[in-house]
Amino acid sequence: MLFNYLVSNGDAHLKNFSYYRLPSGYYQLTPAYDLLNTALHVNDDNGLALDLFADDYETPSFTANAFLAYDDSLELGRRLGLPLSRVRKLLADSVGHEDKIQRLIDRSFLPEELKLRYAAVVADRRQRLRYSAATQP
């Protein structure tokens, strides 16, 4: 979900997540597929096809700013029962790698104008994921 938000993949609906059953009987998430930046083609608001919270909950950050940010990801992790220290580390890692992301965009077959727009979307999402309305995230 975090990656899809970062690259504005508004096509990340439930049919784009699959599991396969291991011989042990456990299920494992399959490799990601159908990853794209829908913001290059349509206004996709927050860039996710799925709501983060089933109960229409909005963090104070979202209520104040109308965009998903650090606080929303932290709340999702909390609701999933993930250690918050791990969620914070994942968020910090996700907003990094600017050079690597830019190199991938530059190597793509997108026209130059779309490469610039793609980089701008990722930069905007990166900034959003660094933003917290809380005094101590």
Side-chain angles (χ1 to χ4, degrees):
M1 292 291 291
L2 193 54
F3 174 82
N4 285 316
Y5 180 70
L6 183 64
V7 300
S8 192
N9 181 8
D11 191 46
H13 49 80
L14 290 178
K15 289 183 180 181
N16 287 348
F17 295 91
S18 300
Y19 293 91
Y20 67 90
R21 188 172 183 197
L22 299 170
S24 64
Y26 290 101
Y27 288 86
Q28 180 174 323
L29 192 62
T30 62
Y33 56 92
D34 201 12
L35 302 174
L36 56 134
N37 179 322
T38 55
L40 297 180
H41 309 286
V42 296
N43 179 0
D44 63 358
D45 294 319
N46 277 310
L48 292 176
L50 302 171
D51 293 329
L52 287 185
F53 309 112
D55 59 1
D56 294 326
Y57 173 79
E58 290 183 356
T59 63
S61 171
F62 186 88
T63 301
N65 300 297
F67 60 78
L68 297 171
Y70 181 94
D71 301 337
D72 302 281
S73 298
L74 198 63
E75 176 64 14
L76 178 63
R78 187 190 67 73
R79 288 180 175 218
L80 291 172
L82 301 173
L84 293 184
S85 61
R86 178 68 182 126
V87 176
R88 287 183 184 101
K89 185 176 182 332
L90 181 61
L91 281 162
D93 187 53
S94 296
V95 298
H97 309 290
E98 290 94 341
D99 293 340
K100 289 179 183 179
I101 293 170
Q102 189 59 54
R103 283 196 302 271
L104 287 171
I105 293 170
D106 290 342
R107 288 189 354 223
S108 76
F109 295 105
L110 290 170
E112 288 304 314
E113 176 189 340
L114 291 182
K115 287 179 184 182
L116 292 172
R117 285 180 47 202
Y118 199 130
V121 166
V122 172
D124 178 62
R125 295 302 169 91
R126 184 182 295 117
Q127 199 61 26
R128 290 178 181 191
L129 287 171
R130 288 180 174 137
Y131 173 78
S132 173
T135 54
Q136 291 187 13

